[in-house]
Amino acid sequence: MTAPRNQVLVVTEALDPSADLVVQALVDQGAAVMRFDLADFPRRITLSAEHDAEASGWHGELAAGIRAARLEEVRAVYYRRPGLPGLEPQIPAAYRAWARAQAVVGMVQVLSSLPVVWMHHPDVYRSCAHKPGQLAAATAAGLSVPRTLITNDLAHARRWAIGIGGPLVCKPVASASITLPGRPLMILPTRRLEPDELDESIELTAHLLQEWVPKAYEVRLTVVGDQMFPVAIHARSAAARVDWRSDYDALDYEPVALPDGVADSVRRFMAGYRINYGAFDFAVTPGGRWVFFECNPAGQWQFIAAATNLPIAEAHASLLQGAFA
């Protein structure tokens, strides 16, 4: 079994509509693609990686059935949101955490050692994936950000809210889901609240509070390398005006111009984190000020591309194939 040269690996979960579009764009541009999920390793994927003094880095084969890639022929990795390795049921419970750790490190560290184009390298993704660090980085880059408090101290939260002097929002500090019995997976949306609604639940864990930012509309700015795709999101429901992810049926999309100053700051933000892709969320106030909320380094963009026909998938494929030039 042979694998074509100039291989692109696409490492993501099984259901990923944005990755689907990138795979198709890569194929359309003539690239050889192997897509897989870490959740299929080691049950349905085999890894045989060798390293010795005479070799330049790792060499060997990654195979899943009839699909295979030679590690030394990989030129780019599109690494998005893979699952955790799935284990055979015969592994005893006492060894399952150990076995999963071996699988994660064995696969991810071999891939991470390949001298290829990444979107994004796992170490880079971990460094830029959370709001607290992003807010500091955005300010340093010259972006406007909301006044923010992260706390589990109710008394401090109430004093801070009085200083804000208006409505607040509460949002998750980190991306995480909640599983309740008999209910589908739940992602907590941003919630608007008044200062007098703060209660003892603040003390149960870390909470992120921000001042409410008046919005003319919001913007999802999708950045791929040096290409920027700013799209206004107009909300037509009360829920969507607080968090547009809570009511996709009430949204309209429109490409908009990106102010030069914002674009320059976004470039500084990305250079600071060494990322070549980001899904940025902004609010645009009635006065025209762009306010940064967050950047998702693995954010979905398929719905933006479908609504606007912007060539976001092609931009991904071109960046990844730039390694072949």
mmCIF file of all heavy atoms in Angstrom, residues 249-267:
data_model
loop_
_atom_site.group_PDB
_atom_site.id
_atom_site.type_symbol
_atom_site.label_atom_id
_atom_site.label_comp_id
_atom_site.label_asym_id
_atom_site.label_seq_id
_atom_site.Cartn_x
_atom_site.Cartn_y
_atom_site.Cartn_z
ATOM 1 N N ASP A 249 -31.807 30.614 14.041
ATOM 2 C CA ASP A 249 -32.888 30.892 13.094
ATOM 3 C C ASP A 249 -33.243 32.372 13.028
ATOM 4 O O ASP A 249 -33.961 32.797 12.115
ATOM 5 C CB ASP A 249 -34.141 30.086 13.472
ATOM 6 C CG ASP A 249 -33.951 28.597 13.282
ATOM 7 O OD1 ASP A 249 -33.091 28.215 12.461
ATOM 8 O OD2 ASP A 249 -34.650 27.815 13.954
ATOM 9 N N ALA A 250 -32.761 33.162 13.989
ATOM 10 C CA ALA A 250 -33.104 34.589 14.041
ATOM 11 C C ALA A 250 -31.942 35.459 13.575
ATOM 12 O O ALA A 250 -31.853 36.628 13.963
ATOM 13 C CB ALA A 250 -33.524 34.971 15.451
ATOM 14 N N LEU A 251 -31.070 34.930 12.738
ATOM 15 C CA LEU A 251 -29.876 35.658 12.331
ATOM 16 C C LEU A 251 -29.864 35.952 10.837
ATOM 17 O O LEU A 251 -30.306 35.126 10.024
ATOM 18 C CB LEU A 251 -28.615 34.858 12.691
ATOM 19 C CG LEU A 251 -28.444 34.457 14.155
ATOM 20 C CD1 LEU A 251 -27.171 33.634 14.317
ATOM 21 C CD2 LEU A 251 -28.429 35.669 15.070
ATOM 22 N N ASP A 252 -29.358 37.109 10.493
ATOM 23 C CA ASP A 252 -29.071 37.470 9.109
ATOM 24 C C ASP A 252 -27.593 37.836 9.021
ATOM 25 O O ASP A 252 -27.032 38.420 9.964
ATOM 26 C CB ASP A 252 -29.928 38.661 8.652
ATOM 27 C CG ASP A 252 -31.409 38.338 8.638
ATOM 28 O OD1 ASP A 252 -31.769 37.264 8.115
ATOM 29 O OD2 ASP A 252 -32.199 39.157 9.150
ATOM 30 N N TYR A 253 -26.965 37.533 7.875
ATOM 31 C CA TYR A 253 -25.530 37.720 7.718
ATOM 32 C C TYR A 253 -25.247 38.670 6.555
ATOM 33 O O TYR A 253 -25.934 38.626 5.524
ATOM 34 C CB TYR A 253 -24.846 36.372 7.451
ATOM 35 C CG TYR A 253 -25.146 35.317 8.486
ATOM 36 C CD1 TYR A 253 -26.188 34.405 8.292
ATOM 37 C CD2 TYR A 253 -24.403 35.219 9.655
ATOM 38 C CE1 TYR A 253 -26.472 33.425 9.243
ATOM 39 C CE2 TYR A 253 -24.672 34.248 10.606
ATOM 40 C CZ TYR A 253 -25.709 33.360 10.388
ATOM 41 O OH TYR A 253 -25.984 32.398 11.330
ATOM 42 N N GLU A 254 -24.209 39.476 6.718
ATOM 43 C CA GLU A 254 -23.879 40.467 5.698
ATOM 44 C C GLU A 254 -22.386 40.789 5.759
ATOM 45 O O GLU A 254 -21.903 41.262 6.797
ATOM 46 C CB GLU A 254 -24.689 41.748 5.944
ATOM 47 C CG GLU A 254 -24.338 42.893 5.033
ATOM 48 C CD GLU A 254 -24.932 44.215 5.506
ATOM 49 O OE1 GLU A 254 -25.319 44.313 6.700
ATOM 50 O OE2 GLU A 254 -24.967 45.143 4.694
ATOM 51 N N PRO A 255 -21.636 40.557 4.674
ATOM 52 C CA PRO A 255 -20.227 40.970 4.677
ATOM 53 C C PRO A 255 -20.113 42.478 4.887
ATOM 54 O O PRO A 255 -20.912 43.260 4.353
ATOM 55 C CB PRO A 255 -19.750 40.573 3.274
ATOM 56 C CG PRO A 255 -20.665 39.446 2.872
ATOM 57 C CD PRO A 255 -22.001 39.813 3.453
ATOM 58 N N VAL A 256 -19.135 42.883 5.695
ATOM 59 C CA VAL A 256 -18.951 44.302 6.006
ATOM 60 C C VAL A 256 -17.477 44.660 5.862
ATOM 61 O O VAL A 256 -16.609 43.789 5.764
ATOM 62 C CB VAL A 256 -19.428 44.647 7.443
ATOM 63 C CG1 VAL A 256 -20.935 44.500 7.555
ATOM 64 C CG2 VAL A 256 -18.717 43.784 8.480
ATOM 65 N N ALA A 257 -17.216 45.972 5.850
ATOM 66 C CA ALA A 257 -15.833 46.449 5.789
ATOM 67 C C ALA A 257 -15.198 46.344 7.165
ATOM 68 O O ALA A 257 -15.852 46.522 8.200
ATOM 69 C CB ALA A 257 -15.804 47.887 5.299
ATOM 70 N N LEU A 258 -13.912 46.058 7.176
ATOM 71 C CA LEU A 258 -13.149 45.943 8.415
ATOM 72 C C LEU A 258 -12.279 47.189 8.567
ATOM 73 O O LEU A 258 -11.454 47.479 7.698
ATOM 74 C CB LEU A 258 -12.271 44.688 8.368
ATOM 75 C CG LEU A 258 -11.409 44.396 9.601
ATOM 76 C CD1 LEU A 258 -12.294 44.070 10.801
ATOM 77 C CD2 LEU A 258 -10.462 43.232 9.312
ATOM 78 N N PRO A 259 -12.447 47.953 9.659
ATOM 79 C CA PRO A 259 -11.596 49.140 9.847
ATOM 80 C C PRO A 259 -10.116 48.766 9.863
ATOM 81 O O PRO A 259 -9.730 47.736 10.422
ATOM 82 C CB PRO A 259 -12.050 49.680 11.202
ATOM 83 C CG PRO A 259 -13.447 49.157 11.384
ATOM 84 C CD PRO A 259 -13.450 47.805 10.734
ATOM 85 N N ASP A 260 -9.298 49.617 9.258
ATOM 86 C CA ASP A 260 -7.868 49.324 9.164
ATOM 87 C C ASP A 260 -7.242 49.132 10.539
ATOM 88 O O ASP A 260 -6.401 48.246 10.725
ATOM 89 C CB ASP A 260 -7.147 50.454 8.426
ATOM 90 C CG ASP A 260 -7.486 50.492 6.938
ATOM 91 O OD1 ASP A 260 -7.986 49.469 6.422
ATOM 92 O OD2 ASP A 260 -7.261 51.539 6.303
ATOM 93 N N GLY A 261 -7.637 49.964 11.510
ATOM 94 C CA GLY A 261 -7.050 49.850 12.842
ATOM 95 C C GLY A 261 -7.368 48.523 13.498
ATOM 96 O O GLY A 261 -6.513 47.930 14.176
ATOM 97 N N VAL A 262 -8.603 48.043 13.319
ATOM 98 C CA VAL A 262 -8.980 46.742 13.870
ATOM 99 C C VAL A 262 -8.193 45.638 13.181
ATOM 100 O O VAL A 262 -7.684 44.716 13.832
ATOM 101 C CB VAL A 262 -10.495 46.513 13.729
ATOM 102 C CG1 VAL A 262 -10.867 45.103 14.172
ATOM 103 C CG2 VAL A 262 -11.275 47.550 14.544
ATOM 104 N N ALA A 263 -8.078 45.719 11.866
ATOM 105 C CA ALA A 263 -7.323 44.701 11.126
ATOM 106 C C ALA A 263 -5.877 44.639 11.601
ATOM 107 O O ALA A 263 -5.316 43.555 11.794
ATOM 108 C CB ALA A 263 -7.377 44.998 9.631
ATOM 109 N N ASP A 264 -5.249 45.803 11.799
ATOM 110 C CA ASP A 264 -3.857 45.820 12.264
ATOM 111 C C ASP A 264 -3.735 45.194 13.652
ATOM 112 O O ASP A 264 -2.789 44.436 13.932
ATOM 113 C CB ASP A 264 -3.340 47.256 12.299
ATOM 114 C CG ASP A 264 -3.143 47.855 10.916
ATOM 115 O OD1 ASP A 264 -3.078 47.073 9.945
ATOM 116 O OD2 ASP A 264 -3.071 49.085 10.815
ATOM 117 N N SER A 265 -4.700 45.493 14.537
ATOM 118 C CA SER A 265 -4.658 44.918 15.888
ATOM 119 C C SER A 265 -4.874 43.415 15.862
ATOM 120 O O SER A 265 -4.258 42.668 16.626
ATOM 121 C CB SER A 265 -5.713 45.595 16.769
ATOM 122 O OG SER A 265 -5.381 46.955 17.001
ATOM 123 N N VAL A 266 -5.755 42.940 14.982
ATOM 124 C CA VAL A 266 -5.987 41.505 14.850
ATOM 125 C C VAL A 266 -4.711 40.810 14.388
ATOM 126 O O VAL A 266 -4.354 39.732 14.880
ATOM 127 C CB VAL A 266 -7.160 41.234 13.886
ATOM 128 C CG1 VAL A 266 -7.199 39.767 13.467
ATOM 129 C CG2 VAL A 266 -8.484 41.627 14.542
ATOM 130 N N ARG A 267 -4.000 41.432 13.463
ATOM 131 C CA ARG A 267 -2.736 40.840 13.006
ATOM 132 C C ARG A 267 -1.734 40.750 14.163
ATOM 133 O O ARG A 267 -1.020 39.751 14.303
ATOM 134 C CB ARG A 267 -2.146 41.665 11.857
ATOM 135 C CG ARG A 267 -2.962 41.609 10.571
ATOM 136 C CD ARG A 267 -2.237 42.282 9.426
ATOM 137 N NE ARG A 267 -3.104 42.381 8.255
ATOM 138 C CZ ARG A 267 -3.793 43.463 7.916
ATOM 139 N NH1 ARG A 267 -3.699 44.571 8.646
ATOM 140 N NH2 ARG A 267 -4.570 43.460 6.856
#
